[in-house]
């Protein structure tokens, strides 16, 4: 039998260190919210491969749809001989896009590719080059998206020069004293000091900051951005790559604010583990690019589109938006009970099942505890729970269990979390 240690040794020889590993256990197989490593050890999965598995590992309906597709056609390239599943999935996404249509959808393979193409489409449509994005935002690691990603270490350092004409403004974080008015003032300052509003193609925002720490944008910010975009002819791009597909209790997080974006970038849970991403946008905007300007060899592969169609069926039939609300309440209630006892939990945040706790010293927002966060992830791993961190300061634990997780496994996972906290956190008062 292969061991985790043996694989770690081979990995160190064969794979560059630039791609990190949260845990050093090697996944062998998985089902819904459970995962087993190569040594046969079982884990509860609260990470979902970074937000990809809202419908769980290998949902039987997704697995069956991919298997059926694999028996008919695995690749043709939509640009060469198109196929129905691509069109059908575009129709389904257009029908659920947040806001009045008509909408159109184009598919790609990774999240970063979707964001890059949203920028291409926005630039082409507006004839402008400027992009406003948010500090702490994450939009990908490719050379194009790196400029939008709002965190230098470890993402941007050493890779420049990056795409020019990208400006960052603060994302509201009430816990750190940053309010909506601060973000809006910063945008006005950018328009005064750096680039005229008439040269800005798009404002790109995650309705819930993902890698940056699970801060939800207050609805007032999203409404104000919509208004600002309308006044200046700027396109509003909602990056729902991490927050989409029922995670926050709505199909898309921006729905909580009742705001309609011009373009949506989608990926991760869209296809339940098969690589697939999309840009969904207002038809007139999407059609501004002439034939040949957009695409990709594998973009919207038949296997991925079959998976995507099954995922949308599962979200609808298993009422995963409602389930996300309930899961979020259960997790947040448990975390708030822990927070009352443990001064290292500075804040618990939840929008639906997009839940996080921020680890600090002695309840102080200005004293992030990245070391404790790292130790907690490792302690949880040793006890059989896959946890993920995030946050600009690396001090946030995010909860991304499949929305299909059985109640008993959720309870089991939360108990492991508490035990792991006991292992590594400074003793609580009282
Ligand atoms: C909001 C957001 N946008 C874009 C990306 C990039 O996606 P990918 O890693 O598939 O390129 C991510 C990945 O974490 C993300 O969370």
């Amino acid at each position: 039998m292969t061991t985790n240690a043996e694989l770690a040794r081979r990995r160190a020889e064969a794979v560059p260190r630039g791609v990190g590993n949260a845990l050093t256990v090697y996944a062998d197989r998985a089902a819904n919210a459970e995962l087993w490593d190569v040594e046969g050890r079982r884990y509860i999965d609260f990470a979902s491969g970074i937000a990809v598995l809202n419908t769980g590992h290998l949902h039987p309906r997704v697995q069956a749809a991919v298997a059926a597709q694999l028996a008919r056609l695995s690749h043709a390239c939509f640009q060469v001989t198109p196929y129905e599943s691509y069109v059908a999935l575009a129709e389904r996404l257009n029908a659920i896009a947040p806001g009045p249509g008509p909408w159109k959808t184009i598919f790609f393979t990774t999240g970063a590719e979707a964001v890059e193409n949203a920028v291409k489409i926005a630039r082409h449509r507006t004839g402008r080059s400027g992009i406003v994005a948010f500090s702490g935002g994450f939009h990908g690691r490719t050379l194009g998206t790196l400029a939008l990603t709002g965190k230098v270490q470890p993402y941007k350092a050493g890779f420049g020069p990056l795409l020019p004409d990208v400006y960052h403004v603060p994302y509201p974080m009430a816990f750190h004293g940053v309010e909506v008015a601060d973000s809006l003032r910063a945008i006005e300052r950018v328009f005064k000091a750096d680039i005229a509003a008439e040269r800005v193609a798009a404002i790109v925002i995650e309705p819930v900051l993902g890698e940056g720490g699970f801060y939800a944008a207050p609805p007032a910010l999203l409404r104000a951005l919509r208004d600002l975009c309308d006044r200046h002819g700027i396109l509003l791009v909602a990056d729902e790559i991490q927050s989409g597909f029922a995670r926050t209790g709505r199909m898309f997080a921006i729905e909580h604010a009742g705001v309609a974006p011009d373009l949506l970038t989608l990926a991760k849970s869209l296809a339940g583990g098969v690589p697939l991403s999309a840009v969904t946008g207002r038809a007139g905007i999407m059609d501004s690019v002439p034939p040949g300007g957009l695409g990709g060899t594998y973009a919207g592969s038949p296997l991925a589109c079959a998976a995507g169609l099954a995922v949308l069926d599962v979200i609808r039939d298993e009422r995963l938006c409602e389930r996300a609300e309930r899961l979020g309440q259960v997790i947040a209630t448990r975390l708030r009970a822990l927070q009352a006892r443990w001064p290292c939990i500075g804040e618990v945040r939840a929008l639906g099942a997009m839940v996080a706790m921020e680890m600090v010293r002695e309840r102080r927002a200005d004293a992030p505890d990245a070391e404790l966060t790292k130790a907690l992830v490792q302690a949880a791993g040793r006890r059989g729970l896959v946890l993920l961190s995030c946050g600009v300061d690396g001090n946030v634990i995010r909860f991304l269990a499949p929305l299909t997780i059985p109640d008993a496994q959720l309870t089991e996972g939360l108990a492991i979390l508490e035990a792991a906290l006991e292992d590594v956190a400074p003793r609580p008062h009282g």
Side-chain angles (χ1 to χ4, degrees), residues 50 109-113 115 138-142 145 206 208 210-211 239-243 265 267-268 277 398:
I50 321 188
T109 308
T110 67
E113 224 187 329
V115 174
F138 185 87
H139 301 286
R141 282 187 174 84
T142 57
T145 55
E206 292 165 85
V208 183
E211 302 300 305
D239 183 344
E240 294 264 5
I241 286 170
Q242 190 152 169
S243 58
T265 53
K268 292 192 183 278
S277 66
R398 55 179 147 172

Side-chain angles (χ1 to χ4, degrees), residues 16 44 51 117 176 186 271 295 317 359 400 411 424:
I44 304 276
N117 278 281
H176 295 281
D317 296 348
M359 310 305 291
L400 285 167
T411 308
V424 296

